[in-house]
Amino acid sequence: EVQLVESGGGLVQPGGSLRLSCAASGFTFSTYWMSWVRQAPGKGLEWVANIKYDGSEKYYVDSVKGRFTISRDNAKNSLYLQMNSLRAEDTAVYYCARRTPGAFGYWGQGTLVTVSS
Amino acid sequence: IVLTQSPGTLSLSPGERATLSCRASRSVSNSYLAWYQQKPGQAPRLLIYGASSRATDIPDRFSGSGSGTDFTLTISRLEPEDFAVYFCQQYGNSPWTFGQGTTVQIK
């Protein structure tokens, strides 16, 4: 059974940093592109970042370029999102998702990031 | 690519047919268009990918159609568990984008 479990969310002040993690199991993690998708409270979905199965390619939505970094550790079956210079508009539930093959076939339960003073 | 979903809200009764629309601001490459269902407090669930292919374990009352800029999700006969929010998403052109969602509610 495919499982994706996010962690690392919480309350952070504007300008602060946070690192999200996603633990994957039930599939061969090293052979899949992975993504982060977020959803602001009561709002729609926004794709944030993609990473190739070997980490050699990374793509970001413009609003997070230069502030967020997606990475992975295939030996640990883990996906990460380093978020720096956080803004109020980054407040959202962040989902880890596996591409199957292009669409998001599997999702974690999400972790809430709140940026507020 | 901006995706515009209509209607914003659909009020129907169980057993009725639901037709949801997703219109793209320009052509979606290779019909790389997906549909998701989301219930309150839950992560989205993939229903349809490639505009018309059902994802694993999705009932055949869900069907997708369309190409280019116009896509449709049809639920042939609404079951009580189908009342939820539905999002379309294109993954043919970066940045990948989602529609704003259609709420299917009980009439």
Side-chain angles (χ1 to χ4, degrees):
Chain A
E1 179 193 3
V2 173
Q3 285 201 327
L4 299 168
V5 179
E6 301 94 337
S7 60
L11 175 63
V12 60
Q13 293 189 337
S17 298
L18 214 52
R19 188 196 196 206
L20 305 184
S21 299
C22 171
S25 61
F27 65 100
T28 306
F29 181 73
S30 61
T31 63
Y32 285 90
W33 284 74
M34 297 294 296
S35 302
W36 289 98
V37 178
R38 67 184 178 183
Q39 186 170 34
K43 301 296 184 183
L45 299 162
E46 180 181 40
W47 164 73
V48 174
N50 286 343
I51 186 168
K52 194 175 180 178
Y53 42 82
D54 61 359
S56 63
E57 296 180 32
K58 303 176 184 182
Y59 302 94
Y60 301 92
V61 68
D62 282 350
S63 58
V64 309
K65 281 180 184 175
R67 300 189 299 123
F68 289 12
T69 301
I70 188 171
S71 62
R72 65 192 297 159
D73 185 336
N74 286 343
K76 294 183 178 179
N77 290 340
S78 293
L79 177 71
Y80 306 101
L81 187 67
Q82 177 67 43
M83 304 186 295
N84 299 329
S85 303
L86 282 160
R87 306 167 179 166
E89 55 265 35
D90 296 319
T91 294
V93 173
Y94 284 74
Y95 295 101
C96 163
R98 193 193 90 174
R99 290 174 56 174
T100 312
F104 302 118
Y106 293 92
W107 300 65
Q109 85 289 350
T111 187
L112 177 62
V113 173
T114 303
V115 184
S116 175
S117 54
Chain B
I1 295 179
V2 176
L3 299 179
T4 302
Q5 293 186 239
S6 61
T9 302
L10 203 49
S11 296
L12 295 168
S13 300
E16 289 194 294
R17 180 184 188 91
T19 303
L20 287 66
S21 173
C22 177
R23 179 161 290 177
S25 58
R26 55 188 173 92
S27 185
V28 176
S29 298
N30 302 114
S31 293
Y32 284 162
L33 193 286
W35 289 94
Y36 301 87
Q37 176 194 69
Q38 188 177 33
K39 297 179 181 178
Q42 296 185 16
R45 177 175 71 144
L46 177 66
L47 301 174
I48 301 288
Y49 63 94
S52 61
S53 298
R54 263 188 306 276
T56 304
D57 296 331
I58 300 303
D60 61 7
R61 64 180 180 273
F62 291 92
S63 63
S65 62
S67 63
T69 61
D70 289 295
F71 298 88
T72 300
L73 174 70
T74 302
I75 311 172
S76 59
R77 288 179 57 87
L78 282 164
E79 297 287 340
E81 62 267 27
D82 299 336
F83 292 93
V85 181
Y86 293 83
F87 295 95
C88 59
Q89 179 236 340
Q90 66 82 21
Y91 51 98
N93 302 81
S94 185
W96 296 0
T97 49
F98 290 86
Q100 82 281 13
T102 290
T103 300
V104 179
Q105 65 181 24
I106 299 176
K107 186 174 181 180

